[in-house]
Every structure is written in structure tokens, then in C-alpha cells.
Amino acid sequence: MTSGQDWSGRVGDVWAAEWQRTDRSFADLAPHLNAAIAAVAPHRGKALDIGCGAGATGLALHGARPDLDIIGVDLSAGLVGVARRRAADREAVAGEGSLSFRCDDALALAAREAPFDLFLSRHGVMFFSDPVAAFAALRRAASDSATLIFSCFDARGHNGFATLADAITGQMPVSSDAYQPGPFAFADSHAVADWLEQAGWTPGAAARISFDYVIGQGDAPLADAVEFLSRIGPAARAIGDAPPEERARITTALEQALGDYRIEDRIALPASAWIWRAHAGADRT
């Protein structure tokens, strides 16, 4: 389980160092999410990108809605630094809107700078410690016509980066009926719909998207994939916690298993995510 403290420290620093490979891993999902966001985003007003990471989703929205004021927020100073550099390096977008990235708690920022007309997130909301309370806080910070749209992972069994790590490490996750924040905390669509309704949102349709989770590419895609999985995700945690001999065994097993997923210069694992949208008013689906 990844806590807020992790994201503001060690985990956030790793993701900041690996931002290009993590963006690549979501490259097949990103067009679906970006199109869904653009479809509901107002042309003017104010938007909050929750858990903005290295800024890819906020940057895409700024390109699609240049007159919209967009704030990206993340607990990781390292990731916010990357997002700011990417925004500064890109060609200026003609429009009256602004794009900024801040290191802060999303819920605290939302309360201070309400109202917002749009909340968006690429895989950031699964780490809320109390999803109903968090969504309720966002609802209080929403304008009357606001939309909430976010992506989150589908069940663990539909995501190869997790099932492969489970099989190789032998460290199966402990099942629990109690909510625990983490990558698969929002996998149950019925639970998510209930949380949104309890928090005062009107959930719309949730779209399940299958995509290629790209983990290796280039002249040496296998080495690239092993290095990436050794830094990000459940295999990384197992490798980091293992003694040297077990670490070597896991790495070798990863290399052997990933060879089955190589197609020319690319290695991708099957993955699945949900794209949710909800409205502050009545359902507009």
C-alpha cells in the first residue's frame, strides 16, 4: 500500500526519475482518457488535475482547452518539478487560460480555491485514504455544473504487470474486505458508483478499457522492461525487499517470462482500466 508519505518521498522520487517510462506505459490508455476529458471539459472556467504526476494529462487538456485555467496538484515535489519543466519546454498554447503545477494536498487545495468546474485524474484517486470523504470534499468544492472524470485500474487479475509479479515472486496479495488505498482499490465498479453517490455525485457510465501496458522498447527491450519493473510496481517491491540471491532469481525469472511478450522491439503486458465520469448535478449521459 502506498501512503501519502510515500508519494511525498521515496515513491514520488522514483516516479519522477522514471516519468518517461511511466508515461510510455500509459501511452495506449492516454488517448482514451484525454478524449473522454475533452468531451466533458468546459471551454472556460477552472479545472483541477488530481495526482497530476509528471503533467501529461494536464498538458493534454491545456492543448484541447486553451482558455481553461488548469491546476495540476501532486504530493511529490519531484513529479511537480518534472511537470513544470515539461510545461516550460513545450510550445506556447494560444489562449487565455493558464496551466500551473503545485506540490500540495489535492483536497486542501480544492477547498481553498473552490469552486472548480472540472476535476480530472489519471490513476490518482485510488490512493485516497477514505474515498467517500474525499469525493464529498471535491463535491463541496465543485460548481453546480461541475464534472468529475478519472481513470483507475481494473481488477488485479486483468493487469499483467501485477499477475506476472505475483507468479514470479510467489507473494500473493492478502485479500481483505476492508478498503485499502492502492493501485486496485477502485477495481470494483459497483463500489465506486456507491462511493460517488454517497459523496453527492451522480455517476455516469463507466467505460472499461483494455490497453497495452508498454514496459520495454528500443534496441534492448527486454533489459529495458526488467529495469522498469525493478523500479515501478509490485515486482519492484519484492525485488527491493529480497536478499541478494532471491533478488537475482526474481530478475532472471522476469527476463524469461517477459520474452513471451516481446514483439520485435517492444514488450507490452495486457492491462485494463476504468474511465469514470460523474456530475455535480443530474446525470447527463
Side-chain angles (χ1 to χ4, degrees):
M1 181 172 64
T2 304
S3 68
Q5 185 176 4
D6 289 327
W7 282 110
S8 63
R10 177 185 59 84
V11 173
D13 291 343
V14 171
W15 278 65
E18 292 289 336
W19 74 266
Q20 290 171 306
R21 285 196 279 204
T22 53
D23 269 11
R24 182 186 66 187
S25 70
F26 287 113
D28 195 34
L29 174 66
H32 298 278
L33 177 61
N34 293 342
I37 292 170
V40 299
H43 287 273
R44 295 181 182 274
K46 190 160 59 174
L48 183 64
D49 182 3
I50 300 165
C52 66
T57 307
L59 286 163
L61 177 59
H62 186 50
R65 293 289 184 272
D67 294 321
L68 184 66
D69 291 326
I70 305 163
I71 300 172
V73 59
D74 202 285
L75 291 171
S76 168
L79 282 167
V80 168
V82 172
R84 287 172 175 167
R85 290 193 295 273
R86 294 176 74 184
D89 290 343
R90 74 176 298 183
E91 186 176 343
V93 176
E96 298 180 2
S98 63
L99 173 64
S100 63
F101 295 100
R102 306 186 196 177
C103 185
D104 203 341
D105 177 87
L107 302 182
L109 190 153
R112 287 197 310 269
E113 303 205 15
F116 285 88
D117 305 291
L118 176 68
F119 296 104
L120 60 137
S121 181
R122 188 189 77 180
H123 280 50
V125 298
M126 306 103 66
F127 300 98
F128 286 142
S129 60
D130 183 336
V132 174
F135 284 141
L138 295 178
R139 179 63 184 85
R140 290 192 295 273
S143 67
D144 291 341
S145 59
T147 301
L148 165 67
I149 184 163
F150 61 87
S151 65
C152 56
F153 279 122
D154 194 359
R156 190 183 190 96
H158 296 306
N159 286 281
F161 69 90
T163 56
L164 187 69
D166 295 342
I168 288 172
T169 65
Q171 297 182 5
M172 303 302 292
V174 178
S175 61
S176 173
D177 293 334
Y179 171 81
Q180 293 185 345
F184 305 105
F186 279 49
D188 185 340
S189 60
H190 298 292
V192 174
D194 185 54
W195 296 336
L196 289 166
E197 289 178 347
Q198 288 184 56
W201 292 93
T202 301
R208 176 182 265 153
I209 307 294
S210 296
F211 67 101
D212 287 340
Y213 188 83
V214 180
I215 57 171
Q217 203 162 15
D219 295 336
L222 187 57
D224 185 28
V226 171
E227 185 177 7
F228 177 58
L229 292 184
S230 297
R231 297 271 286 164
I232 300 288
R237 289 189 288 274
I239 291 171
D241 293 340
E245 289 185 2
E246 177 64 7
R247 191 175 305 149
R249 183 199 70 77
I250 295 172
T251 301
T252 300
L254 269 178
E255 291 175 346
Q256 295 173 344
L258 290 173
D260 294 337
Y261 295 93
R262 178 174 179 173
I263 299 177
E264 297 181 351
D265 66 347
R266 185 174 183 264
I267 296 175
L269 296 173
S272 182
W274 293 103
I275 295 179
W276 278 94
R277 69 176 182 270
H279 307 289
D283 187 7
R284 299 194 295 273
T285 57

